[in-house]
Amino acid sequence: MSRLQASGYVIHRRPYRETSMLVDFFTRQYGRISAVVKGARGAGKSDRKSLIQPLQLLSFELSGRSQLKNLGLAEALHSPLKLDGNCLYSAFYLNELLIRAVPETEPMSLLFEQYQQSLLHLQSASTQADISNTNNGPDVEPILRDFELMLLQELGYLPDFEYSADTGEAIHPEGHYTFIAEQGFVACPAQQPFALLGQDLIAIAHKRYESGARKAAKYICRQALLPIIGDKPLKSRELFIKR
């Protein structure tokens, strides 16, 4: 029987047979991987039940010869993240993107690092929101955009924000461009629907999301992800508080 050692986050779980769960992990070593967790849904108290929580970072062992492994020994590598409100919903959104977009057993080390940093930033934003007690809520959009862009990069779908897709010429700050999924940016008239300003594209390339760049980045990421995740609505988006 083959055994694998891994460390990663619980990103999804669902009932499996009578007392088990089928759990998706996002791991540093193997990317997204699924495993059966036996006895995690029993009537009594279970260490596994308390361990297998969304967003929990675990060190664990997988065994089995088939593609679907069984979870063996597992232990938490840190205490559960403290997230609430839109920060918690944002973390659920990241998890849903991983489930929908990332192929199983394909290591993506840069995306794993980005995911881990995103969760830490969300925890910090959640803490700061509690301390400041403002009505505006935490600013999660830059965190989400950085993750989405890294996801697109790792999957090979990231558009070139500095050069036009059709001519290869540098994006001009004063120019206007339309975004074509799986191709990139093409010059267009300023009055064309969803025309994007060149200076905003350049700002996104440098991870600056001020003013128009913030709105442009959200639009581009949604359009770029559409061929990957499909048009079925993401459940996590329904959770966000509309202000």
Side-chain angles (χ1 to χ4, degrees), residues 144-155:
L144 300 184
R145 298 297 88 81
D146 282 346
F147 180 81
E148 290 166 338
L149 292 171
M150 178 59 75
L151 174 61
L152 290 167
Q153 177 181 309
E154 288 284 79
L155 294 174

Side-chain angles (χ1 to χ4, degrees), residues 16-85:
Y16 184 74
R17 296 181 177 172
E18 292 186 4
T19 61
S20 301
M21 285 194 297
L22 189 58
V23 179
D24 287 292
F25 299 94
F26 188 46
T27 70
R28 186 185 300 275
Q29 298 87 348
Y30 307 105
R32 184 170 70 85
I33 193 166
S34 300
V36 174
V37 184
K38 295 180 178 179
R41 294 172 51 235
K45 291 185 178 180
S46 167
D47 291 340
R48 292 186 168 231
K49 189 184 299 184
S50 60
L51 270 180
I52 308 302
Q53 300 293 329
L55 309 175
Q56 178 67 64
L57 178 60
L58 302 175
S59 173
F60 55 90
E61 180 181 88
L62 301 176
S63 62
R65 296 186 182 278
S66 66
Q67 185 174 1
L68 184 58
K69 306 295 184 182
N70 293 312
L71 184 74
L73 297 175
E75 63 176 345
L77 292 180
H78 66 52
S79 56
L81 293 165
K82 296 180 180 179
L83 301 172
D84 55 28

